[in-house]
Amino acid sequence: MLTTLKSYFDELRIRLQVVQRTQQEIDRRFSPDFNLFNVFYLDENRLSYFIKILLDDKAKHGQQALFREVLFNMIGTNVSDNIKHIFNELVLDKGVKVDVEVSTTSARRMDILIHNDKCAVMIENKPWAADQKNQIKDYVDYLRGRFNTRFYVIYLSGSAPQPSDGSISQEELQKLTQDGHFTTLMYRPHLTEWARMCAEKSESEKMRSIFLDFEAFINSSFQQQ
C-alpha cells in the first residue's frame, strides 16, 4: 500500500514538473500573462488620453483614421442619415482634430472631442467615476450652441447603462436619444468589441498586439454588462 502511494506521488511530482517546465517555456517564448496595461496605473484621464491617441489619425500608430472609422461603423447601424453623414465627414476630413479635456462655456471639460468646424462627436469617459450635477446636460447645451444639430454624444461607461438623473433628466435624455444624438457604450462588451475589430483590421503587428492587450485589460477590469 505504501509503495503504491509512493509511486503515485512520485508520478504526480514528475507530471507537475513537466507542467511547470512547459509553462516556463510558454512564458519565455510568448509572455502570455504580461500586459503593460496591468503594470502602469490607468486612471480615467490616462484612459481618455490613450483612447484619444487611438482615434487620432495624426498619431504615431500610422493607421490614419482606421480606428475612428471602426468605432463609427460599429455605432453607425443604429443612427440616422444625418449622424452617418457626420461620422463620414469626421473620417474623411483631414482637418479633423481629436482633443482631450476640452473646456466648455460652463467651465467643464469634455473628455474627448472629435471635431472639425462644422460637426463633432463627444466621448464622455466614465470607467469608474460618477456623473457630476448637470454634467451631460451642460455638455449637450455647449455642443448644440457650437454645432447646432450636427453633434453626437457617446457615453462610455464602465458600469452605468446611462447617465444619472442628476447629470441630465430622463425626459431630456430620452429626447436626445430619440433625436439621434446620444448613445451609451459599455467597456464590456462594446469597447472590447472595438479593440478586437481594430486588432483584426490594423496593418501594424505592434498595434494588433496593443489592442489585444487592451481587450484583455478591459476584460480583467470591468464586469460584463
Side-chain angles (χ1 to χ4, degrees):
M1 180 69 175
L2 290 176
T3 302
T4 303
L5 281 174
K6 183 178 183 303
S7 297
Y8 171 77
F9 283 111
D10 285 345
E11 182 179 352
L12 190 62
R13 184 173 61 255
I14 292 170
R15 289 178 180 272
L16 181 59
Q17 289 172 347
V18 170
V19 170
Q20 290 172 337
R21 285 197 298 270
T22 302
Q23 185 61 54
Q24 289 171 352
E25 182 64 16
I26 291 172
D27 289 344
R28 187 178 69 82
R29 289 179 175 270
F30 304 107
S31 305
D33 297 323
F34 183 80
N35 188 325
L36 280 175
F37 292 99
N38 292 324
V39 174
F40 298 107
Y41 174 71
L42 288 180
D43 59 12
E44 179 180 312
N45 289 337
R46 290 187 177 93
L47 270 172
S48 293
Y49 186 69
F50 176 66
I51 294 169
K52 177 265 185 196
I53 290 173
L54 296 175
L55 296 174
D56 192 343
D57 56 299
K58 300 172 187 67
K60 298 291 187 180
H61 53 65
Q63 305 303 294
Q64 301 181 44
L66 173 63
F67 306 142
R68 195 159 74 225
E69 183 177 11
V70 171
L71 177 66
F72 291 162
N73 285 343
M74 190 177 80
I75 300 169
T77 55
N78 298 315
V79 298
S80 66
D81 288 341
N82 177 52
I83 301 301
K84 287 179 182 178
H85 289 316
I86 292 173
F87 286 172
N88 190 54
E89 184 171 339
L90 293 178
V91 168
L92 298 178
D93 184 357
K94 299 300 182 183
V96 167
K97 296 179 180 180
V98 184
D99 296 319
V100 291
E101 295 292 299
V102 179
S103 297
T104 70
T105 51
S106 58
R108 295 191 188 274
R109 294 182 182 275
M110 295 181 288
D111 290 328
I112 303 171
L113 189 68
I114 308 164
H115 66 103
N116 57 19
D117 292 336
K118 297 176 289 186
C119 58
V121 171
M122 191 273 283
I123 300 176
E124 175 59 15
N125 183 29
K126 289 291 184 186
W128 301 289
D131 296 329
Q132 299 171 17
K133 183 175 176 57
N134 293 328
Q135 186 173 19
I136 298 300
K137 180 184 184 302
D138 288 346
Y139 290 152
V140 170
D141 289 345
Y142 172 81
L143 292 167
R144 186 173 282 121
R146 181 173 171 181
F147 300 102
N148 195 6
T149 61
R150 304 200 73 212
F151 71 90
Y152 193 75
V153 175
I154 299 171
Y155 186 78
L156 178 59
S157 175
S159 59
Q162 63 182 30
S164 66
D165 292 350
S167 182
I168 185 171
S169 71
Q170 289 300 302
E171 292 78 14
E172 290 174 296
L173 181 61
Q174 185 176 10
K175 187 175 189 311
L176 192 68
T177 305
Q178 288 175 346
D179 290 345
H181 294 290
F182 179 90
T183 194
T184 296
L185 296 183
M186 307 301 295
Y187 267 78
R188 292 182 66 187
H190 303 115
L191 207 62
T192 51
E193 179 184 354
W194 174 67
R196 187 164 52 251
M197 288 191 294
C198 288
E200 291 172 356
K201 292 179 179 295
S202 175
E203 295 184 43
S204 164
E205 184 62 37
K206 178 181 283 188
M207 292 309 301
R208 281 196 288 271
S209 177
I210 288 172
F211 271 111
L212 292 176
D213 275 357
F214 189 42
E215 179 187 0
F217 164 76
I218 296 170
N219 282 331
S220 65
S221 302
F222 298 93
Q223 292 185 348
Q224 178 77 39
Q225 300 298 317

